[in-house]
Amino acid sequence: MPMLEPLAGFMVRFGICNLILSGIIGLLFGIKWLFRGFLSNRMQYNLCLILLGLLTVPFLPFSLNSYLSGMEQAVFPILPSTSGIDSAVSQPLTHTTDWMNDFALSVNDQISPTISLLFFGIWILGILFMVFLLFRSAIQLHRIEQSALSLQNPLIYRLYEECLHKLNISKEIPVYSTAFFKSPMIVGFWRPRIYLPIHLISDHNTVIRNDDIRYMLLHELQHYKHKDSLIGCLMNLVSIVYWFHPFVWFALKEMRNERELACTSFPFTSGLGGNRKQMKRRILNIASYQRPDRIHRLKSTLVFTLTSVLLIGFVPFIFTTAADDDRYQ
């Protein structure tokens, strides 16, 4: 069945890419653990953003061989094609994809197209199921939003305006109160809205103080300032496509935790969600925070830069698009 061969070849390449991505994820979190004393919360989160970008590479619709060939001509336009320098430069670039094409072809010859199509069907069914779950969650969230009430407490609203001014945010984001959320939350990308749990802002609550509410509002507004809602949409898309990959799910879970840490400059042990005891402990962490000095920031930037270069260097190995001239070397 010649028409099914490209699809079967894609599944083989996609399987190889997932094995390589598993190693990349393990390497990334190993580096983060090793240099945890140097990397700031923001830098750790930015490394996860690079990983998020790598997870989209297998679905780019072009061949890397043609891209690398064009890059070679752009970098070395004056060198003759027969020169030793040009040969030495071009071999590392093109051979990064040659070995994967050859290996994918050899594996494809050993696997029946029917088996590849079976895995493809299971993968698509899983994607459809994940889309259904996401759609159901969106409906539930919409119902909660419909039941929320506009913030009526004038004292908290003044705190909110102070937070907007502090972060230089000109757009006034609507604030609502709801009984269905246990922790503050910002929802929406095009029309963002902040939801505060009623039990936290109630006049009868003597545990949460005004300073605590100010930190919560600053936390959620930092999410808006860093466009975390858009990143959240991309993470949902990745979780749908890689629904079968436990390492990707682990990476996304850690990324969500680090997003909470990175949205302020305070060293929370996790997000602002949780019960009262957990929130009180995290607020105490805020009080003990000390801003890193210049040397620490330089070390953090250096580790981030070197790790980023290392991660980006894996891009040629995780393309699933076949070369124009698939062949055995």
Side-chain angles (χ1 to χ4, degrees):
M1 303 175 68
M3 296 183 62
L4 300 180
E5 290 181 359
L7 184 59
F10 166 79
M11 289 305 299
V12 171
R13 288 183 171 83
F14 187 48
I16 297 172
C17 286
N18 276 278
L19 293 176
I20 298 174
L21 286 170
S22 298
I24 293 174
I25 293 172
L27 177 64
L28 171 61
F29 282 94
I31 292 174
K32 288 173 62 177
W33 179 85
L34 186 63
F35 296 99
R36 60 190 182 278
F38 297 98
L39 286 169
S40 65
N41 294 329
R42 174 55 57 180
M43 291 300 185
Q44 293 191 45
Y45 179 62
N46 289 342
L47 286 176
C48 287
L49 292 180
I50 295 177
L51 175 62
L52 193 65
L54 289 178
L55 291 172
T56 66
V57 170
F59 303 97
L60 296 180
F62 55 83
S63 171
L64 186 59
N65 271 347
S66 59
Y67 168 76
L68 291 177
S69 298
M71 184 174 66
E72 293 167 22
Q73 295 299 323
V75 176
F76 302 99
I78 62 175
L79 295 177
S81 59
T82 58
S83 68
I85 297 178
D86 180 67
S87 177
V89 171
S90 62
Q91 286 182 3
L93 291 174
T94 56
H95 284 187
T96 56
T97 54
D98 286 341
W99 76 267
M100 183 172 179
N101 287 325
D102 296 341
F103 181 64
L105 285 170
S106 63
V107 173
N108 196 28
D109 285 344
Q110 302 298 323
I111 298 178
S112 170
T114 304
I115 297 178
S116 297
L117 293 176
L118 176 63
F119 280 113
F120 178 77
I122 296 173
W123 180 49
I124 294 300
L125 287 177
I127 289 176
L128 294 176
F129 180 70
M130 293 295 295
V131 170
F132 166 75
L133 294 180
L134 184 64
F135 182 72
R136 188 180 66 175
S137 297
I139 293 177
Q140 294 174 347
L141 178 60
H142 178 72
R143 291 174 178 172
I144 293 176
E145 292 174 346
Q146 294 297 316
S147 65
L149 301 174
S150 298
L151 182 64
Q152 303 295 327
N153 191 315
L155 177 59
I156 296 179
Y157 195 82
R158 284 197 298 270
L159 291 175
Y160 170 64
E161 291 181 328
E162 293 175 5
C163 294
L164 288 174
H165 179 73
K166 181 180 179 64
L167 296 179
N168 296 319
I169 298 177
S170 58
K171 182 176 181 178
E172 187 168 341
I173 305 170
V175 182
Y176 297 89
S177 60
T178 177
F180 294 96
F181 291 150
K182 296 181 179 180
S183 61
M185 182 179 300
I186 185 168
V187 177
F189 175 69
W190 300 110
R191 295 187 302 168
R193 300 168 299 280
I194 294 177
Y195 294 92
L196 299 176
I198 291 179
H199 72 274
L200 292 183
I201 62 176
S202 171
D203 294 334
H204 302 287
N205 192 333
T206 59
V207 177
I208 303 299
R209 302 169 300 174
N210 290 341
D211 287 343
D212 304 335
I213 295 176
R214 181 183 290 107
Y215 286 130
M216 296 175 194
L217 292 170
L218 287 172
H219 181 91
E220 300 307 320
L221 288 174
Q222 284 280 13
H223 279 306
Y224 167 77
K225 195 169 184 178
H226 291 107
K227 309 301 180 185
D228 284 340
S229 295
L230 176 60
I231 302 299
C233 293
L234 295 177
M235 293 171 64
N236 287 334
L237 182 60
V238 167
S239 66
I240 290 174
V241 175
Y242 290 93
W243 60 267
F244 58 90
H245 204 310
F247 287 178
V248 172
W249 278 88
F250 169 78
L252 293 177
K253 179 182 178 180
E254 292 299 312
M255 186 176 178
R256 291 186 180 96
N257 292 334
E258 290 168 1
R259 179 179 61 186
E260 297 301 319
L261 296 172
C263 68
T264 72
S265 38
F266 305 115
F268 297 134
T269 55
S270 60
L272 278 175
N275 56 41
R276 293 183 179 182
K277 182 178 180 180
Q278 291 172 331
M279 293 187 65
K280 185 175 181 179
R281 183 181 62 188
R282 291 160 191 163
I283 292 170
L284 291 175
N285 286 338
I286 294 174
S288 62
Y289 170 74
Q290 294 181 353
R291 185 175 296 276
D293 57 22
R294 182 181 178 183
I295 299 299
H296 188 276
R297 292 197 299 269
L298 288 175
K299 291 180 179 179
S300 178
T301 303
L302 178 61
V303 173
F304 169 78
T305 302
L306 294 178
T307 307
S308 300
V309 172
L310 177 63
L311 292 177
I312 296 173
F314 284 103
V315 168
F317 298 95
I318 53 177
F319 274 80
T320 57
T321 305
D324 296 332
D325 54 347
D326 281 345
R327 65 194 183 280
Y328 287 100
Q329 300 295 327

